[in-house]
PDB file of all heavy atoms in Angstrom:
ATOM      1  N   PHE A  26    -145.142  83.064-103.320  1.00  0.00           N
ATOM      2  CA  PHE A  26    -146.028  84.099-103.838  1.00  0.00           C
ATOM      3  C   PHE A  26    -145.726  85.471-103.178  1.00  0.00           C
ATOM      4  O   PHE A  26    -146.626  86.228-102.847  1.00  0.00           O
ATOM      5  CB  PHE A  26    -147.501  83.699-103.610  1.00  0.00           C
ATOM      6  CG  PHE A  26    -147.931  82.511-104.471  1.00  0.00           C
ATOM      7  CD1 PHE A  26    -148.272  81.331-103.828  1.00  0.00           C
ATOM      8  CD2 PHE A  26    -147.951  82.575-105.827  1.00  0.00           C
ATOM      9  CE1 PHE A  26    -148.653  80.238-104.576  1.00  0.00           C
ATOM     10  CE2 PHE A  26    -148.335  81.459-106.598  1.00  0.00           C
ATOM     11  CZ  PHE A  26    -148.669  80.309-105.985  1.00  0.00           C
ATOM     12  N   GLY A  27    -144.432  85.725-102.983  1.00  0.00           N
ATOM     13  CA  GLY A  27    -143.990  86.974-102.446  1.00  0.00           C
ATOM     14  C   GLY A  27    -144.104  87.158-100.956  1.00  0.00           C
ATOM     15  O   GLY A  27    -143.818  88.211-100.419  1.00  0.00           O
ATOM     16  N   ALA A  28    -144.502  86.076-100.250  1.00  0.00           N
ATOM     17  CA  ALA A  28    -144.711  86.155 -98.786  1.00  0.00           C
ATOM     18  C   ALA A  28    -143.792  85.156 -98.107  1.00  0.00           C
ATOM     19  O   ALA A  28    -143.458  84.112 -98.649  1.00  0.00           O
ATOM     20  CB  ALA A  28    -146.168  85.861 -98.435  1.00  0.00           C
ATOM     21  N   PRO A  29    -143.366  85.465 -96.880  1.00  0.00           N
ATOM     22  CA  PRO A  29    -142.396  84.575 -96.169  1.00  0.00           C
ATOM     23  C   PRO A  29    -143.062  83.327 -95.596  1.00  0.00           C
ATOM     24  O   PRO A  29    -144.155  83.380 -95.020  1.00  0.00           O
ATOM     25  CB  PRO A  29    -141.853  85.472 -95.049  1.00  0.00           C
ATOM     26  CG  PRO A  29    -143.009  86.397 -94.747  1.00  0.00           C
ATOM     27  CD  PRO A  29    -143.708  86.663 -96.078  1.00  0.00           C
ATOM     28  N   VAL A  30    -142.380  82.181 -95.741  1.00  0.00           N
ATOM     29  CA  VAL A  30    -142.802  80.943 -95.105  1.00  0.00           C
ATOM     30  C   VAL A  30    -141.615  80.334 -94.386  1.00  0.00           C
ATOM     31  O   VAL A  30    -140.455  80.650 -94.653  1.00  0.00           O
ATOM     32  CB  VAL A  30    -143.382  79.928 -96.097  1.00  0.00           C
ATOM     33  CG1 VAL A  30    -144.584  80.519 -96.835  1.00  0.00           C
ATOM     34  CG2 VAL A  30    -142.335  79.438 -97.089  1.00  0.00           C
ATOM     35  N   GLU A  31    -141.903  79.402 -93.478  1.00  0.00           N
ATOM     36  CA  GLU A  31    -140.888  78.685 -92.738  1.00  0.00           C
ATOM     37  C   GLU A  31    -141.031  77.194 -93.030  1.00  0.00           C
ATOM     38  O   GLU A  31    -142.122  76.653 -93.068  1.00  0.00           O
ATOM     39  CB  GLU A  31    -141.049  78.929 -91.251  1.00  0.00           C
ATOM     40  CG  GLU A  31    -140.010  78.204 -90.398  1.00  0.00           C
ATOM     41  CD  GLU A  31    -140.241  78.413 -88.893  1.00  0.00           C
ATOM     42  OE1 GLU A  31    -141.414  78.385 -88.482  1.00  0.00           O
ATOM     43  OE2 GLU A  31    -139.237  78.567 -88.164  1.00  0.00           O
ATOM     44  N   LEU A  32    -139.906  76.517 -93.251  1.00  0.00           N
ATOM     45  CA  LEU A  32    -139.851  75.059 -93.414  1.00  0.00           C
ATOM     46  C   LEU A  32    -139.241  74.515 -92.138  1.00  0.00           C
ATOM     47  O   LEU A  32    -138.235  75.019 -91.655  1.00  0.00           O
ATOM     48  CB  LEU A  32    -139.020  74.652 -94.615  1.00  0.00           C
ATOM     49  CG  LEU A  32    -139.597  74.831 -96.008  1.00  0.00           C
ATOM     50  CD1 LEU A  32    -139.845  76.294 -96.334  1.00  0.00           C
ATOM     51  CD2 LEU A  32    -138.668  74.239 -97.063  1.00  0.00           C
ATOM     52  N   VAL A  33    -139.854  73.433 -91.581  1.00  0.00           N
ATOM     53  CA  VAL A  33    -139.350  72.830 -90.389  1.00  0.00           C
ATOM     54  C   VAL A  33    -139.194  71.320 -90.640  1.00  0.00           C
ATOM     55  O   VAL A  33    -140.053  70.680 -91.256  1.00  0.00           O
ATOM     56  CB  VAL A  33    -140.245  73.076 -89.163  1.00  0.00           C
ATOM     57  CG1 VAL A  33    -140.234  74.542 -88.774  1.00  0.00           C
ATOM     58  CG2 VAL A  33    -141.684  72.618 -89.411  1.00  0.00           C
ATOM     59  N   PHE A  34    -138.090  70.766 -90.147  1.00  0.00           N
ATOM     60  CA  PHE A  34    -137.845  69.316 -90.207  1.00  0.00           C
ATOM     61  C   PHE A  34    -138.217  68.754 -88.843  1.00  0.00           C
ATOM     62  O   PHE A  34    -137.557  69.036 -87.845  1.00  0.00           O
ATOM     63  CB  PHE A  34    -136.400  69.042 -90.567  1.00  0.00           C
ATOM     64  CG  PHE A  34    -136.018  67.591 -90.531  1.00  0.00           C
ATOM     65  CD1 PHE A  34    -136.830  66.602 -91.040  1.00  0.00           C
ATOM     66  CD2 PHE A  34    -134.795  67.198 -89.959  1.00  0.00           C
ATOM     67  CE1 PHE A  34    -136.479  65.276 -90.994  1.00  0.00           C
ATOM     68  CE2 PHE A  34    -134.457  65.862 -89.895  1.00  0.00           C
ATOM     69  CZ  PHE A  34    -135.294  64.890 -90.409  1.00  0.00           C
ATOM     70  N   VAL A  35    -139.318  68.000 -88.829  1.00  0.00           N
ATOM     71  CA  VAL A  35    -139.876  67.471 -87.556  1.00  0.00           C
ATOM     72  C   VAL A  35    -140.101  65.979 -87.779  1.00  0.00           C
ATOM     73  O   VAL A  35    -141.186  65.505 -88.064  1.00  0.00           O
ATOM     74  CB  VAL A  35    -141.192  68.163 -87.184  1.00  0.00           C
ATOM     75  CG1 VAL A  35    -141.588  67.778 -85.753  1.00  0.00           C
ATOM     76  CG2 VAL A  35    -141.075  69.657 -87.299  1.00  0.00           C
ATOM     77  N   PRO A  36    -139.037  65.147 -87.644  1.00  0.00           N
ATOM     78  CA  PRO A  36    -139.169  63.713 -87.936  1.00  0.00           C
ATOM     79  C   PRO A  36    -140.194  62.988 -87.058  1.00  0.00           C
ATOM     80  O   PRO A  36    -140.754  61.992 -87.479  1.00  0.00           O
ATOM     81  CB  PRO A  36    -137.750  63.186 -87.720  1.00  0.00           C
ATOM     82  CG  PRO A  36    -137.014  64.203 -86.937  1.00  0.00           C
ATOM     83  CD  PRO A  36    -137.667  65.531 -87.287  1.00  0.00           C
ATOM     84  N   ALA A  37    -140.467  63.508 -85.862  1.00  0.00           N
ATOM     85  CA  ALA A  37    -141.405  62.802 -84.971  1.00  0.00           C
ATOM     86  C   ALA A  37    -142.798  62.756 -85.561  1.00  0.00           C
ATOM     87  O   ALA A  37    -143.604  61.846 -85.246  1.00  0.00           O
ATOM     88  CB  ALA A  37    -141.452  63.488 -83.629  1.00  0.00           C
ATOM     89  N   ARG A  38    -143.132  63.675 -86.460  1.00  0.00           N
ATOM     90  CA  ARG A  38    -144.493  63.669 -87.017  1.00  0.00           C
ATOM     91  C   ARG A  38    -144.733  62.482 -87.950  1.00  0.00           C
ATOM     92  O   ARG A  38    -145.889  62.177 -88.240  1.00  0.00           O
ATOM     93  CB  ARG A  38    -144.758  65.014 -87.727  1.00  0.00           C
ATOM     94  CG  ARG A  38    -144.934  66.157 -86.723  1.00  0.00           C
ATOM     95  CD  ARG A  38    -145.319  67.446 -87.405  1.00  0.00           C
ATOM     96  NE  ARG A  38    -146.528  67.399 -88.171  1.00  0.00           N
ATOM     97  CZ  ARG A  38    -147.747  67.459 -87.661  1.00  0.00           C
ATOM     98  NH1 ARG A  38    -147.926  67.542 -86.347  1.00  0.00           N
ATOM     99  NH2 ARG A  38    -148.807  67.442 -88.437  1.00  0.00           N
ATOM    100  N   GLN A  39    -143.690  61.805 -88.352  1.00  0.00           N
ATOM    101  CA  GLN A  39    -143.864  60.571 -89.131  1.00  0.00           C
ATOM    102  C   GLN A  39    -144.406  59.442 -88.281  1.00  0.00           C
ATOM    103  O   GLN A  39    -144.827  58.417 -88.832  1.00  0.00           O
ATOM    104  CB  GLN A  39    -142.525  60.162 -89.774  1.00  0.00           C
ATOM    105  CG  GLN A  39    -141.993  61.123 -90.854  1.00  0.00           C
ATOM    106  CD  GLN A  39    -142.917  61.199 -92.033  1.00  0.00           C
ATOM    107  OE1 GLN A  39    -143.846  61.996 -92.099  1.00  0.00           O
ATOM    108  NE2 GLN A  39    -142.672  60.344 -93.015  1.00  0.00           N
ATOM    109  N   GLN A  40    -144.423  59.593 -86.983  1.00  0.00           N
ATOM    110  CA  GLN A  40    -144.944  58.545 -86.085  1.00  0.00           C
ATOM    111  C   GLN A  40    -146.428  58.626 -85.894  1.00  0.00           C
ATOM    112  O   GLN A  40    -147.013  57.733 -85.237  1.00  0.00           O
ATOM    113  CB  GLN A  40    -144.241  58.663 -84.753  1.00  0.00           C
ATOM    114  CG  GLN A  40    -142.724  58.512 -84.777  1.00  0.00           C
ATOM    115  CD  GLN A  40    -142.077  58.850 -83.446  1.00  0.00           C
ATOM    116  OE1 GLN A  40    -142.691  58.745 -82.389  1.00  0.00           O
ATOM    117  NE2 GLN A  40    -140.820  59.212 -83.502  1.00  0.00           N
ATOM    118  N   ARG A  41    -147.086  59.630 -86.404  1.00  0.00           N
ATOM    119  CA  ARG A  41    -148.547  59.766 -86.215  1.00  0.00           C
ATOM    120  C   ARG A  41    -149.279  58.580 -86.847  1.00  0.00           C
ATOM    121  O   ARG A  41    -148.930  58.139 -87.940  1.00  0.00           O
ATOM    122  CB  ARG A  41    -149.034  61.077 -86.819  1.00  0.00           C
ATOM    123  CG  ARG A  41    -148.541  62.335 -86.146  1.00  0.00           C
ATOM    124  CD  ARG A  41    -149.026  63.556 -86.893  1.00  0.00           C
ATOM    125  NE  ARG A  41    -148.504  63.563 -88.276  1.00  0.00           N
ATOM    126  CZ  ARG A  41    -149.094  64.156 -89.272  1.00  0.00           C
ATOM    127  NH1 ARG A  41    -150.228  64.823 -89.103  1.00  0.00           N
ATOM    128  NH2 ARG A  41    -148.566  64.110 -90.490  1.00  0.00           N
TER     129      ARG A  41
END
Side-chain angles (χ1 to χ4, degrees):
F26 294 114
V30 301
E31 180 184 40
L32 285 63
V33 292
F34 174 43
V35 191
R38 288 184 59 78
Q39 292 296 89
Q40 301 172 22
R41 293 175 300 154

